[in-house]
Amino acid sequence: LLMHKVHNVLVTYTQPGPGAYTTEHLAGDLMAADHLPGFAAPLPPSGGTLVISVGFESLNTQSLLDMYQDPRQPTQYILAFPPGAGTIRRQWNSLRQLLEDDPSRLNSRHVHVVGSFDAEEVFMRIRVLDQGCNGVTLAPFGPKPHSLGIALFAQKYDRGLLYTQPKSYHPDYSIGIGETWGYVVKWDRITCFDRAIVR
């Protein structure tokens, strides 16, 4: 997005087919939490609030929670609102694991529910969270459109992205091909977050 020679950038996301995802673990052999290339977190005290986009599996995110245990800057969770009880159940199971089966650790003010495909709303929610604290550090473990909104925010505001990269994935991670969504993240040399709305 930062290259001036690239005028337009479109990102697509294709849902799995009716078979959706395997019911087994999606990934394994997880690496330690680390910054994604190009997205190192700013030096403390900036970036003290961790924002996790919750996915189908916790993927060793407990190590991230251990790093960000300041009660004055509680971890914020972004959950997707997808269709189907199975996907909702898997997501809440991941959150339950993150909280170590202790519901008293969860405050509803720290849970933000956003539509599965709404990258822009994720961007906007994080911007509000970022303004209400001394900066955020982001962990994109949820659906890919949420990860897109998170990455765009991190690029725009120079925030850190943390991930626990798996070394292996289930061979039937997802099954079939569903609908494809398109996102215009740069058009006519202007990135989406810099475009003014003219009425």
Side-chain angles (χ1 to χ4, degrees), residues 17 38 46 53 58 66 68 73 84 88 100 107 110 117 137-138 142 145-146 158 161 170 177 180 194 199:
S46 181
S53 171
S58 57
D66 293 342
Y68 290 85
Q73 301 181 83
I88 294 171
E100 298 178 324
N107 186 320
H110 305 147
F117 307 107
T137 297
L138 306 163
H146 282 198
D158 192 27
L161 285 178
H170 194 289
I177 299 172
T180 297
D194 290 328
R199 297 185 188 256

Side-chain angles (χ1 to χ4, degrees), residues 18-145:
Y21 298 93
T22 178
T23 57
E24 300 173 18
H25 283 293
L26 298 176
D29 197 11
L30 304 166
M31 297 171 65
D34 201 356
H35 295 102
L36 290 172
F39 291 98
L43 295 174
S46 181
T49 297
L50 178 64
V51 179
I52 299 176
S53 171
V54 180
F56 283 172
E57 298 193 24
S58 57
L59 295 179
N60 201 25
T61 47
Q62 186 60 48
S63 61
L64 298 179
L65 293 174
D66 293 342
M67 292 167 49
Y68 290 85
Q69 285 195 342
D70 188 344
R72 296 167 298 174
Q73 301 181 83
T75 299
Q76 306 288 321
Y77 302 95
I78 298 176
L79 288 104
F81 184 71
T87 54
I88 294 171
R89 182 174 54 251
R90 288 184 80 167
Q91 187 176 224
W92 278 95
N93 282 340
S94 294
L95 183 58
R96 193 185 76 240
Q97 291 172 16
L98 292 175
L99 300 171
E100 298 178 324
D101 285 323
D102 182 1
S104 67
R105 295 180 59 188
L106 183 63
N107 186 320
S108 61
R109 291 178 300 160
H110 305 147
V111 177
H112 311 273
V113 180
V114 178
S116 296
F117 307 107
D118 201 340
E120 182 180 7
E121 179 62 20
V122 169
F123 182 99
M124 302 301 283
R125 291 280 182 104
I126 295 173
R127 186 162 67 181
V128 170
L129 292 173
D130 188 69
Q131 292 169 348
C133 65
N134 196 22
V136 296
T137 297
L138 306 163
F141 289 87
K144 298 302 182 284

